[in-house]
Amino acid sequence: MSDLSGKHGLIVGIANERSIAWAIAQAADRAGARLALTYVNERLEGNVRKLAETLTQPPLILPCDVSQDDQIAAVAAGLDREFGGLDLLVHGAAFAPREAITQPFLQTARGDFQIALDVSVYSLVALAQATAPLMARREGGSLLTLTYLGSERVFPNYNVMGVAKAALEASVRYLASELGPEQIRVNAISAGPIRTLAAAGISGFSDILSVYRERAPLRRNIEAGEVADAAMFLLSDAGRAVTGEVLLADGGYHAMGL
Ligand code: NAD
């Protein structure tokens, strides 16, 4: 079991109890980290506050729409005030407008493309900018984001999110290169499909789940808790030599040709 005692972490991307970011928050809490959780809007604030009550250490809870620079700055100020630094960041925010994942990719509107890449990719850069100085104070840290194999291969209806995940994975490598000298590591977990709020927006998602069950070497789907276990490796000292990496936690599906 990973030990994160004495560490402070920021978790962005909890919508409800099914969120992968929530599974990671629970695992980090069990490992001893003190957390800050964010919520995107008032509609989801109640969910996050209720979930927060189940953690062993009361977390700091802050609003953060990642498309708003002032909200990101306020989160960094809150972390500075309450924690005096930061060790861990989990980035689990992603969004694409409905039309962009229901119409053919060829029809993607400029505005929808910009929104998807802003919320799902630039947000990692913006959060890294805001939190790297807090991590440098701790003489290092670990940033983790969540991606999907749709970055490399075509999955029906994933469309602009696939393009966004390709950009996200490239951003992981560029950030890892620049933040490495400060001992700040940047990695991604590419998770297999899991039923969450974000997944509900992808039509044909059940078919994707059943193809994975049939063809992945482990012959089953994966659970958010399993992504969280992989996250503990990358967030903790166990992963201290790993940066710029995309770790596939998908039951091995990516290894198959057919
Ligand atoms: P989720 O819906 O629980 O999480 C997505 C989160 O993004 C939500 O908490 C939502 O509030 C947040 N978000 C959207 N717009 C935002 C904004 N403007 N500002 C701040 N937050 C915003 O679904 P999830 O499946 O847990 O997704 C988490 C991450 O995992 C995403 O990056 C997703 O692409 C990735 N992922 C999911 C799967 C899957 O099958 N569920 C597979 C691989 C990767």
Side-chain angles (χ1 to χ4, degrees), residues 13-15 19-20 40 64-66 92-94 146-147 165 191 193-194 196-198:
I14 300 175
S19 296
I20 299 172
V40 62
C64 187
D65 178 334
V66 294
L146 294 161
T147 186
K165 294 305 191 190
I194 299 171
T196 60
L197 192 62

Side-chain angles (χ1 to χ4, degrees), residues 37-56:
L37 313 180
T38 65
Y39 56 89
V40 62
N41 55 32
E42 282 173 13
R43 193 170 58 79
L44 294 177
E45 177 181 1
N47 285 355
V48 174
R49 290 199 180 275
K50 213 162 160 202
L51 291 170
E53 285 170 14
T54 66
L55 295 178
T56 51

Side-chain angles (χ1 to χ4, degrees), residues 11-248:
I11 314 270
V12 177
I14 300 175
N16 58 33
E17 74 287 352
R18 287 172 176 257
S19 296
I20 299 172
W22 172 240
I24 298 174
Q26 288 176 294
D29 177 69
R30 280 195 299 273
R34 168 98 202 276
L35 301 176
L37 313 180
T38 65
Y39 56 89
V40 62
N41 55 32
E42 282 173 13
R43 193 170 58 79
L44 294 177
E45 177 181 1
N47 285 355
V48 174
R49 290 199 180 275
K50 213 162 160 202
L51 291 170
E53 285 170 14
T54 66
L55 295 178
T56 51
Q57 299 195 62
L60 185 62
I61 302 175
L62 300 163
C64 187
D65 178 334
V66 294
S67 64
Q68 306 299 318
D69 287 332
D70 56 337
Q71 294 192 27
I72 291 177
V75 168
L79 295 170
D80 189 11
R81 200 171 51 242
E82 295 289 325
F83 297 165
L86 189 70
D87 303 284
L88 318 167
L89 166 66
V90 175
H91 171 267
F95 177 76
R98 185 140 192 83
E99 299 68 44
I101 45 173
T102 49
Q103 291 173 4
F105 177 67
L106 180 64
Q107 309 300 339
T108 310
R110 188 188 301 274
D112 290 349
F113 189 98
Q114 287 169 338
I115 290 170
L117 271 89
D118 183 33
V119 174
S120 315
V121 186
Y122 183 73
S123 58
L124 177 68
V125 181
L127 282 164
Q129 276 174 20
T131 58
L134 298 169
M135 290 189 175
R137 254 187 244 161
R138 299 282 169 90
E139 292 172 359
S142 179
L143 271 70
L144 178 67
T145 187
L146 294 161
T147 186
Y148 182 60
L149 191 59
S151 60
E152 292 178 28
R153 306 198 200 154
V154 174
F155 288 81
N157 304 316
Y158 202 60
N159 299 5
V160 75
M161 274 315 292
V163 175
K165 294 305 191 190
L168 182 69
E169 291 170 22
S171 302
V172 163
R173 292 183 284 272
Y174 279 91
L175 290 170
S177 164
E178 292 185 3
L179 295 172
E182 311 230 50
Q183 302 309 307
I184 298 171
R185 300 181 291 108
V186 188
N187 294 292
I189 293 179
S190 183
I194 299 171
R195 260 188 213 291
T196 60
L197 192 62
I202 308 288
S203 66
F205 190 76
S206 299
D207 297 335
I208 296 178
L209 281 173
S210 66
V211 170
Y212 270 71
R213 265 197 309 275
E214 268 167 38
R215 302 198 195 155
L218 297 185
R219 299 287 193 281
R220 61 174 179 84
N221 290 126
I222 63 149
E223 293 170 6
E226 296 178 303
V227 179
D229 286 344
M232 288 307 101
F233 163 65
L234 291 170
L235 291 173
S236 71
D237 283 351
R240 64 193 176 280
V242 183
T243 193
E245 179 68 357
V246 178
L247 177 65
L248 275 291

